[in-house]
């Protein structure tokens, strides 16, 4: 099956244009890779999730924020500022404006969660996302990656986020 | 060339005097004795008497390379006796007939080596040398200085990592003809002493023993040249940074790169004239500016002192006020520019940080994809057990090629952004420096305005303004002078650097005659590897054995390692050591013509390894070596018989221990100068 760039090249070749493709310029960001997103979800669950019975659970809204910031650690300062201003409605609204717009409209996260739920790796339970302790797919991905020193920036960012107070008000809006 | 004639260890214990001696002959000989006989003790004696204990990683004059039997307690007939004193000696025969007996205490004053030179006519001359202290530098008391002279070895300088010079010492050459049991078989030149900080000492030692003194000289020149080039490049970088930052401080940004070779840089910098650059790029001529300021100062001084003043002229307060307003506007504009630039720098820094994070994520993901950890190729629906295609959820897994491309793009963006950041920071520095100048002028103008407005009458107003202008012009002159002085200093530093760079003589290439010596070494190595039965070498690929720039054995341009068998390593080291001696004989090198191999079998019970080694010893290549090879090992009776039948000299010392109590319990430890020497042929 021809790729988009090949189709485009063929179309252009029919004209007098000389197609010249920089493959690196059309390569998508790693943020759109399934495995990367699965690792980030696994890391959020492992670092911030709480074990309850046979499941490791995390609030769905918190997971949405954590995974978004874990992939963009430079936003940690924004979250800190937002947390510090949480008692001041006006300041809180101003400081979180751009961040909230970003993570609330993160459609790919919904797709990832749906996919992991469909595969039985995760369950949705009353506003919580739960991973069966017995499941090895996500925990195996996290353990082996951590052992090999992969994605330390993301894991460190989640650990730093754990130190920041994030309230339900902040996550669920006003 | 020398021959080791004997090794002797002797001393005094509470049980009485003890001693042990092993005689040797020229050519190949195997000394076979049981474990714990004292073979290693006698082998250690050679390094000790040559003052080369540093090959064992010991400090100077530290005899702990010896067994406790000669340092502390010695066992006779199952009982332990304290050692009162002990010494050891080696006897060497030079090919021209001269002899040398070296004696060094083990327990006692072990910082001294006694050397007895015995001329062909039997005349003996005894000298005592310092074993380690200034051993090569002290022409009268240093042992190695004497020993090199006795051997006819020239002194050769090497280059240290600190940029200084150091000699090649005996301990640098010993690892190429002395392989000890503990460490010697772990790698080629594993006993090499690197703590002196000599650069490429392994290569120097090989070239020296092959007689390639011009090659070692060329290597010294190359290393010096490399060090000098590195130092010059670093100096150029620091100088360029200082000049660029200094000029930015005055508001002028110039390009002055320190990239390129020293020659290119010297050519480029030779054309640099900071005055010309300022004139062409910024229309700045400091000389003219200075002259015009001086003229202005003269005029202002004249108008202040004796020029007539127009009493009707009321323009002084207006003009002073106008200047303040103009400067205030300029300062405000520059502040705004600085604020914008600062904000750009901050945003770019955040962006660069985000790029670094994204790059790190992409590189980790690439590793994840390539090593395959946790890769989920097949996930099925838990209910219907059908494959779940991620595309159904608008998801996809990227290929490693795609991620590689993304990494490439991120790296390009990062480089671009880094360059932009440097440029932005330079712009910000220029704005700040301009802001500083304008702020200073603004403060002066404010003070001038205050003076003018406080003055009573037009005459005083005019005088106050003229005085303020005069002070300002004089300060401008000071500033121009300071800039001119700095530019002159920088220019002279650039010129000095160019002169230094042009004066450097760059390294010559290795002389061509060494190539033949190296080829002889490689050829001998191939033959010995084949004879030893190295798994990777056969008669079909002998021509593919070579030595790289570091004299590492190569096969088909790949490093020759132990392929089929772990014991290939000891075969490789033995072949390398013997091949070097063989090649040195062929090319008339400086090898001492003595090779000592302590336990080449490595007490390895592997029958194939023993068989290959014994097979090697029975070959003509081993039996007819044109130098002395002494192998210390422990052979079985059948192996000894087999070797002797094959014409190999196998010596099996009598008794179970090398050191035994002397027959009469009286001192045999006579002073070295009185010890009788029995020449052995």
């Amino acid at each position: 099956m021809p790729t988009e760039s090949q189709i485009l090249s063929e179309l252009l070749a029919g004209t007098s244009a000389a197609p010249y493709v920089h493959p690196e310029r059309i390569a998508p960001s790693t943020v759109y890779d399934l495995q990367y997103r699965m690792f980030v979800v696994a890391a959020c669950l492992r670092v911030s999730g709480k074990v309850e019975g046979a499941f490791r659970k995390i609030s769905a809204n918190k997971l949405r924020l954590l995974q978004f910031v874990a992939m963009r650690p430079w936003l940690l300062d924004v979250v800190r500022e937002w947390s510090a201003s949480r008692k001041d409605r006006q300041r809180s609204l101003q400081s979180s404006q751009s961040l909230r717009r970003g993570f609330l409209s993160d459609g790919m996260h919904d797709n990832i969660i749906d996919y992991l739920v469909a595969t039985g790796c995760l369950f949705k339970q009353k506003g919580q996302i739960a991973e069966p302790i017995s499941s090895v797919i996500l925990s195996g991905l996290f353990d082996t990656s951590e052992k090999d020193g992969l994605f330390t920036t993301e894991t460190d960012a989640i650990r730093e986020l754990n130190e920041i107070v994030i309230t339900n008000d902040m996550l669920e809006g006003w | 060339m020398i021959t080791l004639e004997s090794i002797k260890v002797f001393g005094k214990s509470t049980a009485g005097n003890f001693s042990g001696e092993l005689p040797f002959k020229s050519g190949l000989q195997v000394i076979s004795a049981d474990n714990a006989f004292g073979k290693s003790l006698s082998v250690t004696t050679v390094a000790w008497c040559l003052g080369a204990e540093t090959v064992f990683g010991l400090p100077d004059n530290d005899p702990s390379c010896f067994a406790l039997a000669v340092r502390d307690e010695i066992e006779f007939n199952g009982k332990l006796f304290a050692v009162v004193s002990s010494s050891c000696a080696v006897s060497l025969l030079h090919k021209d007939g001269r002899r040398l007996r070296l004696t060094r205490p083990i327990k006692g004053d072990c910082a001294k080596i006694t050397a007895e030179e015995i001329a062909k006519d039997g005349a003996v001359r005894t000298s005592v040398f310092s074993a380690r202290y200034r051993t090569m530098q002290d022409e009268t008391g240093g042992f190695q200085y004497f020993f090199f002279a006795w051997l006819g070895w020239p002194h050769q300088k090497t280059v240290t990592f600190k940029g200084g010079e150091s000699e090649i010492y005996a301990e640098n050459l010993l690892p190429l003809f002395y392989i000890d049991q503990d460490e010697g078989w772990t790698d080629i030149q594993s006993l090499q002493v690197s703590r002196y900080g000599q650069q490429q000492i392994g290569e120097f030692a090989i070239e020296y023993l092959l007689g390639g003194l011009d090659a070692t000289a060329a290597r010294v020149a190359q290393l010096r040249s490399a060090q000098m080039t590195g130092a010059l490049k670093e100096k150029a970088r620091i100088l360029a940074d200082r000049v660029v930052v200094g000029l930015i401080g005055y508001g002028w940004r110039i390009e002055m790169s320190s990239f390129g070779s020293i020659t290119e840089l010297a050519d480029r910098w030779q054309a640099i004239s900071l005055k010309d650059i300022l004139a062409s790029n910024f229309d700045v001529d400091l000389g003219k500016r200075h002259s015009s300021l001086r003229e202005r100062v003269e005029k202002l001084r004249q108008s202040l002192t004796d020029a007539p003043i127009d009493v009707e002229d009321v323009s002084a307060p207006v003009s002073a006020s106008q200047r303040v307003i103009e400067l205030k506007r300029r300062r405000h504009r520059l502040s705004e520019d600085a604020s914008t630039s600062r904000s750009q720098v901050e945003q770019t820094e955040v962006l660069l940080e985000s790029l670094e994070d994204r790059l790190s994520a992409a590189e980790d993901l690439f590793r994840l994809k390539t090593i395959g950890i946790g890769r989920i190729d097949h996930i099925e629906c838990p209910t219907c057990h059908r494959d779940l295609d991620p595309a159904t959820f608008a998801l996809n897994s990227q290929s490693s090629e795609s991620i590689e491309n993304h990494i490439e793009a991120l790296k390009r963006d990062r480089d671009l952004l880094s360059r932009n950041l440097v440029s932005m920071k330079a712009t910000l520095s220029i704005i700040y420096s301009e802001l500083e100048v304008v702020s200073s002028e603004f403060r002066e103008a404010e003070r001038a305005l205050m003076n003018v407005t406080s003055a009573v009458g037009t005459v005083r107003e005019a005088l106050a303004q003229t005085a303020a202008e005069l002070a300002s012009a004089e300060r401008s002159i000071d500033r121009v002078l300071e800039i001119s002085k700095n530019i002159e200093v920088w220019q002279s530093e650039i010129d000095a650097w160019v002169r230094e760079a042009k004066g450097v003589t760059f390294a010559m290439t290795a002389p061509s005659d060494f190539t033949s010596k190296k080829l002889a070494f490689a050829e001998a190595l191939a033959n010995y590897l084949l004879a030893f039965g190295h798994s990777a070498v056969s008669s079909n690929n002998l021509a593919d054995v070579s030595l790289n720039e570091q004299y590492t054995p190569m096969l088909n341009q790949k490093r020759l390692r132990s392929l089929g068998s772990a014991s290939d390593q000891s075969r490789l080291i033995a072949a390398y050591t013997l091949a070097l001696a063989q090649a040195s004989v062929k090319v008339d090198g400086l090898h001492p013509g003595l090779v000592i191999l302590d336990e080449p079998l490595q007490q390895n019970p592997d029958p194939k390894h023993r068989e290959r080694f014994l097979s090697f010893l029975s070959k003509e290549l081993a039996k007819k070596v044109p130098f002395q090879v002494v192998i210390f090992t422990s052979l079985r009776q059948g192996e000894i018989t087999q070797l002797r039948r094959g014409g190999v000299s196998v010596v099996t010392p009598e008794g179970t221990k090398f050191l035994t109590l002397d027959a009469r319990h009286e001192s045999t430890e006579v002073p070295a100068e009185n010890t009788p020497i029995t020449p052995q042929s």
Side-chain angles (χ1 to χ4, degrees):
Chain A
M1 190 177 163
T3 62
E4 286 81 353
S5 55
Q6 282 169 336
I7 296 168
L8 185 62
S9 297
E10 278 167 23
L11 283 171
L12 288 170
T15 68
S16 57
Y20 188 79
V21 178
H22 286 280
E24 70 274 13
R25 288 291 162 209
I26 53 172
S29 165
T30 44
V31 169
Y32 302 108
D33 180 75
L34 171 65
Q35 301 237 328
Y36 179 63
R37 300 295 291 245
M38 280 174 61
F39 169 82
V40 175
V41 170
C44 291
L45 272 159
R46 178 62 68 87
V47 177
S48 290
K50 285 179 185 158
V51 177
E52 287 177 24
F55 291 94
R56 181 176 279 112
K57 292 181 181 179
I58 189 169
S59 146
N61 288 333
K62 190 174 180 186
L63 175 63
R64 178 182 282 279
L65 174 69
L66 292 189
Q67 59 88 33
F68 187 80
V69 179
M71 290 185 288
R72 300 162 183 86
W74 58 93
L75 292 177
L76 275 166
D77 287 339
V78 181
V79 180
R80 266 191 212 101
E81 198 187 336
W82 182 19
S83 174
S85 65
R86 65 186 182 278
K87 287 175 186 166
D88 180 341
R89 265 288 138 99
Q90 191 59 34
R91 258 182 74 211
S92 175
L93 182 65
Q94 281 170 354
S95 59
S96 67
Q97 187 72 11
S98 54
L99 176 67
R100 288 165 67 84
R101 192 175 59 228
F103 85 86
L104 289 174
S105 60
D106 183 6
M108 192 172 172
H109 173 65
D110 298 328
N111 296 343
I112 292 283
I113 297 298
D114 289 346
Y115 174 69
L116 292 173
V117 168
T119 54
C121 296
L122 295 180
F123 290 89
K124 288 184 178 174
Q125 294 177 350
K126 294 178 189 169
Q128 300 265 312
I129 299 293
E131 180 200 12
I133 299 284
S134 56
S135 170
V136 292
I137 295 182
L138 287 181
S139 56
L141 179 62
F142 178 80
D143 287 338
T144 45
S145 300
E146 193 180 43
K147 195 176 125 217
D148 279 9
L150 300 180
F151 306 118
T152 48
T153 315
E154 288 79 353
T155 315
D156 289 348
I158 300 167
R159 290 201 175 101
E160 278 193 54
L161 277 167
N162 268 357
E163 305 297 316
I164 302 172
V165 178
I166 296 169
T167 60
N168 285 337
D169 261 4
M170 288 165 69
L171 294 170
E172 290 163 10
W174 305 277
Chain B
M1 295 254 293
I2 54 169
T3 305
L4 176 67
E5 288 194 312
S6 71
I7 292 174
K8 185 173 183 182
V9 179
F10 53 94
K12 192 175 181 181
S13 74
T14 48
N17 294 336
F18 61 86
S19 64
E21 185 166 8
L22 281 175
F24 305 101
K25 57 180 188 172
S26 57
L28 169 72
Q29 63 229 274
V30 180
I31 314 296
S32 174
D34 290 340
N35 290 335
F37 170 79
K39 298 189 294 291
S40 293
L41 170 68
S42 41
V43 173
T44 308
T45 294
V46 177
W48 182 250
C49 286
L50 297 183
E53 60 271 22
T54 47
V55 295
F56 303 118
L58 296 175
D60 292 349
N61 307 316
D62 183 345
S64 53
C65 47
F66 282 102
L68 286 175
V70 286
R71 292 188 288 132
D72 192 15
E73 283 183 325
I74 188 164
E75 186 187 320
F76 295 116
N77 301 322
K79 287 181 184 170
L80 290 172
F81 298 93
V83 174
V84 179
S85 66
S86 61
S87 296
C88 59
V90 293
S91 296
L92 305 170
L93 170 66
H94 199 279
K95 69 176 178 185
D96 62 12
R98 289 177 294 133
R99 286 194 161 77
L100 179 67
R101 180 182 160 104
L102 302 170
T103 309
R104 187 177 182 189
I106 299 169
K107 187 165 187 177
D109 184 8
C110 52
K112 298 275 188 293
I113 295 177
T114 304
E116 292 160 88
E117 296 170 80
I118 304 139
K120 276 191 279 188
D121 60 4
V124 180
R125 188 174 71 170
T126 305
S127 318
V128 178
F129 295 102
S130 160
R132 297 296 310 165
Y133 178 69
R134 293 180 55 78
T135 186
M136 191 62 99
Q137 291 76 27
D138 187 344
E139 296 180 15
T140 50
F143 169 71
Q144 291 202 19
Y145 189 92
F146 155 78
F147 187 59
F148 270 53
W150 187 82
L151 281 169
W153 276 355
H155 289 234
Q156 178 62 53
K157 297 275 183 205
T158 62
V159 181
T160 65
F161 285 104
K162 286 181 181 170
E165 282 186 344
S166 176
E167 301 263 1
I168 290 184
Y169 290 90
E171 54 266 39
N172 297 130
L173 303 172
L174 198 71
L176 284 163
F177 58 88
Y178 176 94
I179 309 296
D180 96 315
Q181 182 182 347
D182 291 338
E183 263 187 273
W185 299 100
T186 52
D187 205 353
I188 291 167
Q189 294 203 57
S190 60
L191 295 180
Q192 186 56 262
V193 184
S194 52
R195 71 177 194 206
Y196 302 157
Q198 297 142 312
Q199 290 191 57
Q200 302 179 7
I201 187 61
E203 291 88 326
F204 269 118
I206 288 169
E207 284 161 4
Y208 186 90
L209 289 185
L210 285 173
L213 294 180
D214 40 2
T216 53
R219 191 176 285 278
V220 168
Q222 274 174 351
L223 288 171
R224 287 211 163 290
S225 166
Q227 277 180 342
M228 209 173 280
T229 305
L232 273 171
K233 289 275 285 179
E234 184 58 13
K235 204 170 170 184
R237 191 187 62 76
I238 293 169
L239 179 57
D241 282 354
R242 201 166 65 241
V243 173
V244 169
V245 170
L247 287 174
I248 280 177
Y250 296 130
W252 302 310
R253 188 177 172 207
I254 67 161
E255 293 291 333
M256 190 176 164
S257 153
S258 60
F259 294 113
S261 70
I262 293 294
T263 322
E264 287 166 358
L265 202 54
D267 289 342
R268 213 166 60 227
W269 280 20
Q270 196 169 25
I272 287 182
S273 159
L274 292 177
K275 281 184 183 170
D276 291 348
I277 290 173
L278 292 182
S280 59
N281 292 9
F282 307 99
D283 200 17
V284 170
D285 185 333
L286 292 170
K288 271 189 190 168
R289 194 179 277 188
H290 183 239
S291 308
S292 76
L293 280 168
R294 285 206 66 82
E295 277 173 26
R296 182 170 158 71
V297 163
E298 282 306 314
K299 277 183 191 167
L300 287 167
R301 197 167 285 147
Q302 198 181 4
S303 47
L304 192 65
T305 50
D306 54 7
I309 295 172
D310 183 0
V311 291
E312 302 298 323
D313 186 0
V314 289
S315 65
V318 179
S319 112
S321 166
Q322 191 58 38
R323 180 162 165 74
V324 169
I325 291 166
E326 263 175 37
L327 286 169
K328 198 171 185 177
R329 271 195 200 132
R330 269 182 70 194
R331 194 181 66 162
H332 180 66
R333 202 173 56 244
L334 284 168
S335 293
E336 276 186 340
D337 288 351
S339 169
T340 310
S341 286
R342 202 170 44 241
S343 154
Q344 279 176 345
V345 165
E346 282 167 7
Q347 281 170 11
T348 309
E349 278 172 343
V350 172
L351 199 54
L352 201 57
E353 189 193 341
S354 78
L355 265 178
E356 291 289 355
D357 287 336
R358 285 162 61 192
L359 190 58
S360 155
E363 282 172 343
D364 283 355
L365 186 61
F366 179 71
R367 273 180 63 203
L368 180 85
K369 298 266 178 184
T370 42
I371 57 181
I373 304 168
R375 182 181 284 187
I376 301 163
D377 292 327
H378 175 81
I379 291 191
E380 60 181 33
C381 170
T383 319
C384 64
H385 297 288
R386 282 190 307 183
D387 280 358
L388 273 177
D389 184 3
T392 317
F393 297 84
L395 299 168
N396 69 79
S397 276
Q398 293 166 13
S399 65
S400 39
E401 290 76 23
S402 164
I403 296 167
E404 233 177 339
N405 284 331
H406 182 55
I407 290 172
E408 204 51 45
L410 287 173
K411 280 183 177 167
R412 281 192 196 184
D413 288 351
R414 182 185 60 181
D415 293 346
L416 187 68
L417 220 53
S418 301
R419 284 199 293 273
N420 282 353
L421 188 61
V422 170
S423 175
M424 282 175 194
K425 282 182 174 171
T427 308
L428 188 59
S429 299
I430 289 173
I431 294 171
Y432 276 142
S433 69
E434 206 177 335
L435 190 59
E436 199 182 333
V437 173
V438 170
S439 297
S440 157
E441 284 177 7
F442 174 68
R443 283 192 298 274
E444 280 173 22
E446 269 190 328
R447 277 196 295 272
L449 178 62
M450 208 182 293
N451 291 337
V452 171
T453 48
S454 347
V456 179
T458 53
V459 174
R460 285 197 177 86
E461 281 174 355
L463 285 175
Q465 193 194 8
T466 310
E469 283 176 12
L470 180 62
S472 172
E474 280 174 340
R475 269 192 289 275
S476 295
I477 286 180
D478 289 346
R479 186 172 154 81
V480 167
L481 286 176
E482 181 210 311
I483 296 171
S484 300
K485 192 181 161 193
N486 281 341
I487 284 174
E488 266 172 36
V489 169
W490 292 330
Q491 185 66 55
S492 67
E493 283 181 27
I494 292 169
D495 295 343
W497 185 90
V498 170
R499 276 196 304 277
E500 193 181 348
K502 294 259 179 193
V504 171
T505 315
F506 289 101
M508 41 187 173
T509 51
S512 57
D513 75 322
F514 190 73
T515 314
S516 60
K517 293 177 194 273
K518 191 176 169 183
L519 278 176
F521 182 20
E523 192 184 336
L525 176 64
N527 290 333
Y528 273 103
L529 285 170
L530 185 67
F532 267 107
H534 191 284
S535 309
V537 180
S538 69
S539 51
N540 297 328
N541 64 5
L542 268 189
D544 298 329
V545 175
S546 61
L547 293 159
N548 69 3
E549 290 291 305
Q550 288 76 42
Y551 306 107
T552 305
M554 309 289 281
L555 182 69
N556 281 328
Q557 309 306 316
K558 288 180 186 166
R559 193 174 166 189
L560 187 60
R561 290 171 185 274
S562 47
L563 296 175
S565 162
S567 49
D568 269 345
Q569 176 74 357
S570 56
R571 283 191 279 274
L572 174 64
I573 291 164
Y576 193 88
T577 311
L578 293 170
L580 183 64
Q582 178 91 42
S584 178
V585 172
K586 188 176 174 184
V587 302
D588 201 16
L590 292 168
H591 197 285
L594 160 67
V595 172
I596 294 173
L597 304 178
D598 184 16
E599 197 49 274
L601 290 171
Q602 287 284 284
Q603 293 159 351
N604 189 339
D606 174 12
K608 270 192 183 170
H609 179 50
R610 298 184 75 92
E611 192 185 307
R612 283 182 191 179
F613 186 71
L614 296 178
S615 159
F616 163 75
L617 292 176
S618 307
K619 286 178 181 162
E620 292 299 303
L621 182 67
K623 286 193 289 186
K624 292 192 174 171
V625 283
F627 47 89
Q628 187 186 29
V629 181
V630 185
I631 298 172
F632 292 84
T633 187
S634 177
L635 298 174
R636 294 161 193 155
Q637 192 51 50
E639 293 168 337
I640 294 170
T641 314
Q642 180 196 333
L643 284 177
R644 281 181 176 158
R645 204 176 293 145
V648 180
S649 167
V650 183
V651 179
T652 49
E654 285 178 12
T656 55
K657 294 284 180 189
F658 176 53
L659 296 178
T660 53
L661 273 174
D662 289 348
R664 286 179 303 151
H665 289 184
E666 58 187 41
S667 175
T668 54
E669 199 181 6
V670 289
E673 57 271 23
N674 298 328
T675 309
I677 303 294
T678 313
Q680 294 171 34
S681 58

